[in-house]
């Protein structure tokens, strides 16, 4: 066994025994090397191993700390948690929604219709389904060509197919420096290197993309960004379109939350010749009743269809038929409108309880840059002890050790009254000090 792993095992034992407590700062690497009689490069590998095991977290300019809680397994945020108040997972299932969905599906349960719906289907779905989805995704003067619509089992599979189609194994994909955790997991499994690109209050910085070096594609969330909750303004979208055109760069646009801002033109409207638009029903309807959608320039449709088939990411025919039925009956439009109203109600609660959080008021999540005395991991652990699940910034950071002291608050899951009470608890917690935890 390498020497650095022996030393890492010793530190891990100290953490397990409580001799090193959550939030304790480890010595600077040079001092640690002197104390242990090891080389500086070995000390760096020890600290890297502790981070890899989830026992420590590195913070730029501050040092390395014992982690307050072990990170969730990859893909982050993909499974329901056990906390009493879930402000980590972000999905809304409204009262009465299931009854509306069930009524719309009644025609599919006739013998002849159901028999047809149980047969296999290709990535292209059916002409009726493609036309229906094109109408749902249309925004302003942008409406995808129905002939370019493809179907996958869910949004994650659509993202996987798009990444695999444009980024070969070992190549680089540009993403925002804080990004959807599932994309990190997909990149790892596809053998793709993620290149973080700087963002500001308007979203991804086009000049930073140009300076990022050679990449094969860009993944971006311009509308209701996850985790920041921000929406890229039109001027920034136009500037980013110019840069991607100069770089001749394919763009994968994640439109999963665009139904909450149906007044915003997608990035695909600014760069239709190079953008693959990805969406699904998981947020519009529910995670357990979903299908994924891909639309692209016509010249890329066959390429993406091949990627969907080769990855075994095609949607079941029944899911495609169900999605079509919900669309053509107006059921989906009614649910989307109800969720926009629900998001507005929750936005007012957030504004009252925790004013000043970052994020578009239409969003179902907010970004909270914590007071200086708090580290994100410690705050998440303290909230969990009070029965509230949050997502630390580290879950979204592309580079380990480069996460700000911030948390994402997902506001869609609990009842409004429960949400308000949980935000009161978090406000009280933030007004105190981490030292108060010692008295608990």
């Amino acid at each position: 066994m390498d020497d650095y792993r022996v030393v890492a095992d010793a530190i891990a034992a100290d953490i397990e025994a409580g001799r090193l407590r959550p939030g304790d700062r480890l010595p600077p690497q040079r001092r640690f090397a002197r104390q242990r009689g090891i080389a500086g490069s070995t000390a760096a590998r020890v600290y890297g191993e502790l981070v890899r095991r989830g026992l420590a977290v590195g913070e730029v300019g501050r040092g390395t700390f014992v982690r307050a809680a072990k990170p969730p397994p990859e893909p982050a945020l993909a499974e329901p948690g056990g906390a009493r108040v879930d402000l980590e997972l972000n999905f809304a299932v409204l009262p009465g929604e299931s009854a509306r969905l069930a009524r719309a599906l009644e025609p599919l349960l006739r013998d002849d219709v159901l028999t047809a719906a149980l047969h296999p289907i290709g990535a292209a779905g059916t002409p009726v389904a493609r036309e229906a989805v094109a109408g749902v995704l249309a925004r302003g003067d942008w409406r995808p060509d129905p002939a370019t619509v493809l179907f996958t089992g869910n949004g994650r599979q659509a993202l996987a197919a798009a990444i695999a189609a444009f980024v070969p194994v070992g190549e680089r994909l540009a993403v925002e420096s804080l990004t959807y955790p599932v994309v990190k997991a997909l990149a790892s499994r596809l053998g793709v290197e993620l290149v973080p690109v700087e963002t500001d209050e308007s979203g991804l910085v086009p000049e930073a993309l140009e300076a990022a070096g050679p990449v094969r594609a860009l993944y971006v969330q311009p509308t209701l960004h996850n985790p920041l909750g921000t929406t890229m303004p039109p001027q920034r979208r136009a500037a980013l379109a110019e840069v991607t055109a100069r770089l001749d760069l394919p763009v994968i646009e994640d439109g999963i939350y665009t139904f909450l801002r149906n007044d915003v033109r997608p990035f695909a409207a600014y760069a239709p010749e190079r953008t693959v638009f990805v969406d699904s029903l998981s947020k519009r309807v529910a995670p357990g009743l979903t299908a994924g959608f891909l639309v692209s320039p016509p010249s890329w449709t066959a390429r993406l269809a091949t990627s969907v088939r080769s990855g075994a990411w095609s949607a079941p025919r029944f899911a495609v038929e169900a999605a079509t039925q919900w669309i053509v009956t107006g059921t989906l439009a009614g649910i989307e409108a109800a969720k926009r109203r629900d998001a507005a109600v929750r936005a007012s609660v957030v504004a009252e309880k925790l004013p000043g959080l970052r994020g578009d008021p239409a969003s179902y999540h907010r970004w909270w840059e914590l007071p200086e005395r708090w580290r994100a991991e410690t705050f998440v652990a303290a909230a969990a002890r009070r029965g509230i699940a949050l997502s630390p910034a580290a879950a979204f950071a592309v580079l380990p050790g480069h996460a700000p002291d911030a948390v994402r608050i997902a506001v869609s899951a609990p009842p409004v009254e429960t949400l308000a009470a949980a935000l009161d608890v978090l406000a009280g917690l933030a007004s105190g000090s981490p030292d108060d935890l010692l008295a608990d």
Side-chain angles (χ1 to χ4, degrees):
M1 180 180 290
D2 293 342
D3 288 345
Y4 80 93
R5 291 180 180 165
V6 174
V7 179
D9 288 342
I11 301 300
D14 287 342
I15 294 172
E16 181 69 24
R19 291 185 289 272
L20 287 172
R21 301 182 59 192
D24 284 352
R25 180 178 179 178
L26 299 179
Q29 290 183 17
R30 289 183 181 178
R31 187 193 309 165
F32 182 85
R34 290 197 302 270
Q35 291 172 348
R36 298 278 173 163
I38 58 178
S41 59
T42 302
R45 296 183 75 184
V46 170
Y47 279 32
E49 178 68 9
L50 293 173
V51 170
R52 188 190 68 79
R53 296 185 191 182
L55 299 175
V57 58
E59 299 183 6
V60 177
R62 299 186 64 188
T64 303
F65 296 82
V66 176
R67 196 174 186 122
K70 289 186 177 181
E74 291 285 3
L77 313 183
E79 298 293 338
R84 293 196 304 274
V85 183
D86 187 353
L87 303 185
E88 182 179 18
L89 295 182
N90 206 13
F91 63 89
V93 179
L94 303 183
E97 182 177 330
S98 58
R100 298 172 72 176
L101 294 168
R103 284 195 298 271
L105 291 183
E106 286 177 1
L108 286 183
L109 302 183
R110 284 178 19 214
D111 275 356
D112 57 332
V113 179
L114 183 58
T115 298
L118 296 180
H119 282 72
I121 195 172
T126 67
V128 173
R130 293 195 298 273
E131 185 69 37
V133 170
V136 164
L137 300 183
R139 292 288 181 272
D141 61 353
W142 180 78
R143 187 183 193 275
D145 179 354
T148 69
V149 175
L150 299 173
F151 296 85
T152 61
N154 55 45
R156 297 187 188 101
Q157 292 179 355
L159 290 174
I163 294 171
F166 293 101
V167 189
V169 173
E171 295 288 350
R172 296 163 25 115
L173 172 67
V175 299
E176 291 125 327
S177 55
L178 294 169
T179 194
Y180 179 34
V182 168
V183 169
K184 297 196 296 179
L186 289 175
S188 175
R189 285 154 177 75
L190 294 171
V192 169
E193 178 186 354
L194 295 184
V195 178
V197 179
E198 177 189 357
T199 62
D200 60 18
E201 64 279 359
S202 294
L204 187 139
V205 177
E207 296 78 11
L209 177 61
E210 286 191 287
V215 295
R216 297 297 292 266
L218 166 67
Y219 166 80
V220 67
Q221 299 170 296
T223 303
L224 302 181
H225 178 273
N226 182 17
L228 301 178
T230 53
T231 294
M232 186 182 290
Q235 298 87 341
R236 175 61 60 85
R237 294 178 190 235
L240 183 59
E242 290 179 5
V243 169
T244 56
R246 262 198 315 273
L247 298 176
D248 193 22
L249 200 63
V251 179
I252 302 168
E253 178 181 6
D254 190 338
I256 191 68
Y257 290 110
T258 54
F259 75 97
L260 293 172
R261 281 297 309 266
N262 60 349
D263 58 329
V264 175
R265 296 171 77 225
F267 180 78
Y270 295 81
E273 75 288 352
R274 65 182 59 261
T275 303
V276 177
F277 187 87
V278 176
D279 203 343
S280 83
L281 294 182
S282 64
K283 306 299 183 184
R284 296 169 182 265
V285 179
L289 295 170
T290 190
F293 313 130
L294 283 162
V295 296
S296 71
S299 60
W300 291 350
T301 303
R303 180 179 188 175
L304 285 163
T306 298
S307 183
V308 171
R309 288 193 296 269
S310 64
W313 293 314
S314 297
R317 183 171 190 134
F318 187 84
V320 174
E321 298 289 0
T324 305
Q325 191 69 11
W326 289 328
I327 293 169
V328 300
T329 59
T331 302
L332 181 60
I335 290 173
E336 289 177 356
K339 289 188 177 181
R340 287 190 288 271
R341 293 191 296 270
D342 179 63
V345 171
R346 292 167 188 272
S348 66
V349 174
V350 174
E352 175 189 352
K353 302 295 184 179
L354 288 173
L357 298 193
R358 186 176 180 182
D360 189 316
S363 178
Y364 264 140
H365 53 272
R366 299 292 187 279
W367 188 246
W368 189 3
E369 296 178 353
L370 297 168
E372 288 188 5
R373 57 186 172 272
W374 282 100
R375 293 192 305 109
E377 297 290 339
T378 306
F379 190 82
V380 168
R385 292 173 64 179
R386 288 154 177 79
I388 302 171
L390 300 172
S391 303
F396 306 92
V398 175
L399 295 178
H402 287 69
D405 283 315
V407 296
R408 190 194 76 166
I409 300 178
V411 303
S412 62
V416 172
E417 297 78 8
T418 303
L419 171 66
L423 296 181
D424 280 336
V425 171
L426 295 178
L429 182 61
S431 67
S433 164
D435 294 336
D436 298 338
L437 299 178
L438 299 177
D440 286 354

